[in-house]
Amino acid sequence: MLLEGLFAAGIRTSESMIAGQSAALHPEEAAAVAVAVANRRREFSAGRACARNAMERLGLPALALPMGSDRAPVWPQGLVGTISHDRTHCAAAVALRSDGFLALGLDIEEAEPVEEGLADDICTAGERDWLARQPAGHRGLLLKAIFSAKECAYKCQYPLSGTLLDFQDLSLDLDMAGERFTAQFLKDALPFGCGDRLAGRIRLRHGHIVSAMSIRDDGRDRAVPV
């Protein structure tokens, strides 16, 4: 299991392979991918199926998840969630607002090194300096981990801020051995201010890099000033 133990108690997850056959979609979901290529339809339907499985684990009915104008899932009232996939796997996590959850973030990537030349696009200057101090044979995979953690943080903050961030708008502190990371805002994205931090979990397992994050209203996982 890729997600086991990554999320806090109260969050339900589901994961699966992306199979050759597309799972059944609600009409409003099917409309979002009506003209998409077959691979996109399979990814989309697998993600929705995982989300509905996670809803059922919360004791909720398997409701439709239409796509909003920003292409993000529109979660039912009272529910927060996140979906991610790579070429072969998909996963989803959901939680109840009544349990104190404000937003969730999830990213899954194949554990394949990224060309180090892409570091300028993905990393801040500080992150590039950190990468340069790592063993040469590990840098490409660590760069992929930075990419995944930032994607996770972007997805988690977006439902609260509505702000589309660039890779240079967050600075990452990555601890792969401890399976943890923190992402610091380098610009305001209200309600998050420049200097605020978000804490997440990250792991390398079964050929995948998986990043996970939750934000709660009790202060334990919320952004906190430096």
Side-chain angles (χ1 to χ4, degrees):
M1 300 288 285
L2 298 179
L3 273 59
E4 184 178 6
L6 275 184
F7 281 104
I11 300 171
R12 298 293 182 266
T13 64
S14 176
E15 57 190 88
S16 73
M17 299 283 289
I18 299 176
Q21 294 293 326
S22 297
L25 294 172
H26 289 260
E28 56 268 52
E29 296 171 335
V33 289
V35 297
V37 298
N39 283 346
R40 169 58 180 155
R41 291 197 300 272
R42 283 193 293 269
E43 294 165 353
F44 183 93
S45 62
R48 262 49 183 187
C50 281
R52 279 191 271 279
N53 287 339
M55 288 181 205
E56 291 176 346
R57 292 175 182 174
L58 275 177
L60 301 175
L63 301 173
L65 286 175
M67 187 167 67
S69 58
D70 57 1
R71 301 183 63 80
V74 179
W75 296 93
Q77 186 174 4
L79 197 67
V80 296
T82 182
I83 300 171
S84 185
H85 65 80
D86 59 19
R87 289 186 299 176
T88 61
H89 286 69
C90 68
V94 298
L96 296 171
R97 290 185 181 274
S98 60
D99 286 339
F101 292 99
L102 300 177
L104 305 179
L106 172 66
D107 184 72
I108 298 176
E109 304 288 340
E110 294 176 352
E112 298 177 352
V114 174
E115 291 183 20
E116 291 184 42
L118 295 175
D120 287 346
D121 297 324
I122 297 170
C123 296
T124 63
E127 292 160 354
R128 292 195 299 273
D129 289 343
W130 177 81
L131 271 177
R133 297 193 297 272
Q134 307 310 306
H138 295 171
R139 291 172 192 161
L141 195 58
L142 288 172
L143 183 54
K144 189 68 161 288
I146 291 172
F147 175 88
S148 177
K150 287 192 175 187
E151 284 288 316
C152 174
Y154 294 152
K155 291 170 70 173
C156 198
Q157 65 84 37
Y158 179 76
L160 301 177
S161 73
T163 301
L164 295 172
L165 297 175
D166 293 328
F167 283 108
Q168 307 300 321
D169 294 334
L170 288 178
S171 176
L172 208 69
D173 185 1
L174 182 66
D175 177 10
M176 290 300 292
E179 297 190 342
R180 297 184 180 276
F181 70 91
T182 58
Q184 180 180 354
F185 286 84
L186 300 181
K187 60 177 283 186
D188 290 342
L190 298 177
F192 306 104
C194 181
D196 283 353
R197 296 178 184 269
L198 297 174
R201 301 289 307 279
I202 187 168
R203 69 163 47 129
L204 174 62
R205 178 176 286 186
H206 303 317
H208 299 270
I209 296 171
V210 187
S211 304
M213 179 179 285
S214 62
I215 302 175
R216 301 189 64 156
D217 64 2
D218 62 1
R220 286 184 294 175
D221 292 320
R222 290 200 70 179
V224 294
V226 171

